[in-house]
Amino acid sequence: MELKFDNLTKEFGNFTAVDHLNLTMTKGVYGLLGVNGAGKTTLMRMLCTLLKPTEGRITCDGKDIFEMDGEYRKVLGYLPQDFGFYPEFTVKDYLLYISTLKGIPPAAARKRVKDMILKVGLSKAANKKMKKLSGGMKRRVGIAQAMLNNPKILVLDEPTAGLDPNERIRFRNLISELSEERLVLLSTHIVSDIEYIANEIWLMKDGKLMHKGRAEELIHSMEENVWECFVEKDLVSSFVKRYKISNMKSEMGGVTLRIISQEKPFENAVQAEPTLEDVFLYYFGEKAGDGNGAV
């Protein structure tokens, strides 16, 4: 299975949401990382045939996905940021209803729903009404509905939004397990969602691809750009205006700053081990003096 974006572009009037992307995906997890408004959702909606490109195309094993039509959607599973559900339906009834919409025969649907409820850890909540579920449980139902047709391609848009840390970890483990046999594209603005499970990470800003690679490759690219230094408290504001600050720690007599900079920011600054969060700040963060940004 190969998905390919060829010069993919989407414009809304004078606004370019996705700007001439050229990317190829095969089996595994691809993490699409960027701030809100980067174009992630527009890209995913095109991938799910909900929006047509203004220019370029998306191909699946060499075939245009819009020309494939139903043949493509048979291998596609999609979890949008906000998926619709009937609050009075139980989890089981909701999934059976979605199975009908996906054209899954009744006998196969009953088995598949039972299997997916077990897979996402909702056996005890199978007969609970959707309106009674926690946010984490609803996201698990969302994964289950996306997986009902056993898709080869799984598209997840901000799947952990609003989840607590335990649910986020559970969700990451589930996605990692599901990715063994399929292609998964997961968009997020939360670094930890993809740091340990993505085979490749794409950094997207203003509709453009800024950088891509494995997590360790992206981190390695920052090795000479992360510094730590101890400064007096009355100097902190000037550093905040001049640099991207990823962390501040108040200590006796001053503050230890973690700074993203290509040049040594202070005489006593020492280079620090970079993290993926440093990479995110380098590409997407702003100094406090830039526009409305604050770090």
Side-chain angles (χ1 to χ4, degrees):
M1 177 72 65
E2 180 187 79
L3 276 177
K4 192 171 183 180
F5 301 152
D6 183 13
N7 202 38
L8 190 67
T9 304
K10 182 61 181 179
E11 298 172 345
F12 297 96
N14 295 324
F15 175 69
T16 302
V18 174
D19 195 354
H20 299 89
L21 289 187
N22 292 282
L23 291 162
T24 301
M25 292 181 285
T26 54
K27 188 174 69 172
V29 178
Y30 292 80
L32 182 57
L33 188 61
V35 297
N36 292 330
K40 305 188 302 295
T41 294
T42 299
L43 176 62
M44 292 190 145
R45 287 175 65 82
M46 285 192 286
L47 182 56
C48 295
T49 70
L50 299 174
L51 284 174
K52 283 196 171 184
T54 305
E55 185 180 341
R57 67 178 191 154
I58 305 172
T59 58
C60 178
D61 290 337
K63 299 178 182 178
D64 188 293
I65 64 171
F66 288 91
E67 294 176 3
M68 291 175 69
D69 198 22
E71 179 189 355
Y72 174 69
R73 283 189 286 274
K74 284 181 181 179
V75 300
L76 177 70
Y78 177 42
L79 174 60
Q81 288 188 46
D82 299 302
F83 72 96
F85 59 85
Y86 294 100
E88 296 297 329
F89 275 29
T90 65
V91 170
K92 181 179 178 181
D93 288 341
Y94 170 74
L95 293 175
L96 286 170
Y97 170 69
I98 296 298
S99 298
T100 301
L101 296 182
K102 292 191 176 189
I104 302 173
R110 287 192 292 272
K111 183 179 186 306
R112 187 63 180 164
V113 165
K114 182 179 179 181
D115 290 346
M116 286 314 306
I117 286 175
L118 180 63
K119 188 88 168 178
V120 299
L122 287 175
S123 296
K124 293 182 179 179
N127 295 308
K128 185 179 287 189
K129 290 185 177 181
M130 292 290 293
K131 68 179 182 181
K132 298 288 188 180
L133 302 183
S134 67
M137 285 182 171
K138 287 176 182 174
R139 300 311 283 177
R140 279 188 264 164
V141 174
I143 275 286
Q145 66 81 25
M147 289 293 299
L148 284 171
N149 57 329
N150 195 24
K152 299 291 186 183
I153 302 165
L154 185 58
V155 179
L156 309 170
D157 193 1
E158 299 282 356
T160 65
L163 301 190
D164 64 36
N166 285 332
E167 282 288 358
R168 185 168 285 121
I169 291 169
R170 181 198 297 268
F171 205 90
R172 287 203 304 266
N173 291 340
L174 176 60
I175 298 309
S176 183
E177 181 182 348
L178 294 175
S179 71
E180 293 179 3
E181 302 174 355
R182 53 185 55 83
L183 184 160
V184 179
L185 178 59
L186 186 161
S187 86
T188 185
H189 61 276
I190 302 170
V191 171
S192 60
D193 281 354
I194 58 174
E195 184 169 8
Y196 302 110
I197 66 170
N199 301 98
E200 185 169 275
I201 296 172
W202 301 343
L203 305 180
M204 190 173 182
K205 184 177 182 180
D206 298 330
K208 296 180 180 181
L209 184 70
M210 305 299 293
H211 204 351
K212 71 181 179 74
R214 298 192 308 272
E216 56 267 30
E217 292 173 336
L218 297 177
I219 292 169
H220 179 70
S221 71
M222 291 287 295
E223 281 188 345
E224 298 181 358
N225 297 328
V226 183
W227 307 81
E228 288 188 353
C229 61
F230 182 81
V231 302
E232 296 178 1
K233 290 186 178 180
D234 58 359
L235 295 177
V236 170
S237 61
S238 65
F239 274 82
V240 169
K241 290 177 181 178
R242 292 168 56 197
Y243 300 106
K244 294 177 180 179
I245 310 295
S246 64
N247 193 55
M248 298 185 194
K249 182 180 179 182
S250 293
E251 301 187 45
M252 185 71 68
V255 178
T256 297
L257 301 178
R258 187 177 179 88
I259 298 173
I260 311 298
S261 174
Q262 293 180 339
E263 299 178 354
K264 190 172 183 176
F266 195 57
E267 59 183 12
N268 72 350
V270 294
Q271 287 187 336
E273 285 289 327
T275 67
L276 195 58
E277 285 191 348
D278 295 320
V279 176
F280 184 90
L281 184 64
Y282 178 77
Y283 285 100
F284 305 120
E286 296 177 313
K287 299 189 292 291
D290 293 342
N292 296 321
V295 176

